[in-house]
Amino acid sequence: MNYPYIVIDDNQESVLKTKAIADGFSELVFVASANNYTDGLNLILEHTPKIVFLEIDPADKTSNLSLQLINELYRYLKVVPKIIVTTTKKELAFDAIQFEVADYLIKPVQRVDLVKTLLKLKKAIGEDEVFLSQSPMLDASSKFVGEPQVIVSEQASVSKKEQPLVLCIKSYGDYRYIDARDICYFQADNNSTDIHLNNGEMITAFKTLKHFESVLPHPFSRIHNSYIVNRHYISRIHTGNAVCYIKNSTTKLPFSKSYKENVDLIISEFANGNYLEI
């Protein structure tokens, strides 16, 4: 079973770090992120995720992020998503408990903490399988390193393979289906967006780049006001010239200072994989 989630945090770097940890669990499916109360509320009502990672003590007070968002959700939803508070302050935990949040995590979110949270959520909703079927934190005897033993049934240990994401570009009864794995990058064009595929084809969608940024999951990252890139198609990153090179092409995409954190995260993800630096 998949668990769509939304991250609501005024700090974009924190959004990316939380998402990077969550993406390590095959059952967690990123839906969107928001940086303020209004956008966060609208995203939750539109997508009705099962889990929301929520910052309640924002550095940017104009974002209006707080536990009051939970009260607002009860006005509109019969079933409110599981709220996981992510913040830097321990002293707000008591207030969060009063709002019956699912868990309270101190930022930066650590994988082991999210493991515990997800196990508690699964237990609470009465499911037998666990989130950890492909987790590197499990050894051959199904034990956590430094944690109590977790018994994983044979059925639970085989997670369902997620179907690849398919984008449907719809226009006047014309449905165009695109396998997201074939998309190299998105390029803004006023109020539309050009989608560049690995076969050299370009398809125009009448949605803004900001819309795509809010709905696209990993491995897509915004690197510029005009570009979202699929990190799997990056062959080279030159930080001095502030450009990313696209595989099997002469295309170079610029990245801007405002999205440098996203590029740094991409570099970090490469280094955390099967990686050899020479």
Side-chain angles (χ1 to χ4, degrees):
M1 184 175 182
N2 289 335
Y3 294 80
Y5 72 92
I6 285 175
V7 182
I8 304 177
D9 195 316
D10 65 307
N11 186 315
Q12 186 61 24
E13 182 179 1
S14 292
V15 170
L16 295 172
K17 288 181 178 179
T18 299
K19 181 177 179 297
I21 294 294
D23 283 344
F25 298 86
S26 60
E27 292 88 343
L28 291 180
V29 180
F30 177 72
V31 175
S33 65
N35 302 118
N36 61 72
Y37 178 101
T38 301
D39 289 346
L41 175 63
N42 291 340
L43 282 177
I44 294 172
L45 298 182
E46 178 181 357
H47 297 285
T48 58
K50 293 192 175 182
I51 295 175
V52 174
F53 293 94
L54 175 65
E55 169 63 80
I56 59 173
D57 185 42
D60 179 7
K61 300 305 180 183
T62 63
S63 67
N64 295 320
L65 295 179
S66 72
L67 290 164
Q68 294 305 317
L69 177 64
I70 302 174
N71 281 342
E72 191 70 6
L73 292 176
Y74 278 105
R75 291 183 55 194
Y76 301 102
L77 301 176
K78 288 184 178 180
V79 179
V80 171
K82 298 294 184 183
I83 306 296
I84 300 175
V85 169
T86 58
T87 189
T88 58
K89 293 184 178 179
K90 296 180 180 180
E91 50 269 34
L92 298 174
F94 179 78
D95 292 337
I97 291 172
Q98 306 308 304
F99 282 81
E100 299 182 347
V101 300
D103 213 339
Y104 191 97
L105 303 182
I106 300 300
K107 293 195 298 187
V109 176
Q110 302 297 313
R111 181 180 176 82
V112 65
D113 293 330
L114 189 53
V115 166
K116 295 173 183 176
T117 296
L118 298 181
L119 285 172
K120 286 190 290 185
L121 288 179
K122 295 282 258 185
K123 183 178 179 180
I125 59 181
E127 295 189 4
D128 295 328
E129 63 180 2
V130 296
F131 282 80
L132 310 173
S133 54
Q134 297 179 347
S135 170
M137 297 187 65
L138 288 171
D139 63 17
S141 61
S142 298
K143 295 180 181 179
F144 286 109
V145 178
E147 292 294 324
Q149 183 175 2
V150 178
I151 305 300
V152 184
S153 68
E154 182 178 355
Q155 181 179 3
S157 65
V158 182
S159 65
K160 292 182 179 178
K161 186 177 181 180
E162 288 187 33
Q163 294 183 349
L165 175 65
V166 174
L167 270 64
C168 177
I169 309 300
K170 185 172 66 173
S171 177
Y172 301 104
D174 179 20
Y175 295 77
R176 175 67 183 269
Y177 300 103
I178 307 171
D179 190 328
R181 294 173 299 185
D182 296 335
I183 299 172
C184 297
Y185 63 95
F186 295 78
Q187 182 175 5
D189 184 9
N190 294 321
N191 290 324
S192 64
T193 300
D194 294 333
I195 304 172
H196 294 263
L197 307 183
N198 57 11
N199 62 2
E201 186 178 2
M202 188 269 286
I203 300 168
T204 298
F206 294 98
K207 296 285 186 180
T208 64
L209 196 67
K210 183 175 179 60
H211 170 80
F212 283 104
E213 181 186 17
S214 69
V215 299
L216 286 171
H218 183 271
F220 294 97
S221 296
R222 183 82 175 261
I223 61 171
H224 189 276
N225 284 338
S226 298
Y227 295 101
I228 292 174
V229 67
N230 181 343
R231 60 145 285 185
H232 293 322
Y233 285 94
I234 295 176
S235 63
R236 178 183 176 189
I237 297 175
H238 197 302
T239 56
N241 294 336
V243 293
C244 296
Y245 292 73
I246 301 299
K247 288 180 180 178
N248 303 319
S249 74
T250 59
T251 302
K252 295 185 290 184
L253 304 182
F255 60 84
S256 56
K257 288 183 178 180
S258 54
Y259 293 99
K260 178 63 163 51
E261 291 176 352
N262 292 8
V263 176
D264 290 340
L265 184 59
I266 292 172
I267 294 173
S268 175
E269 287 178 347
F270 275 116
N272 288 334
N274 190 3
Y275 175 81
L276 176 62
E277 187 171 299
I278 300 173

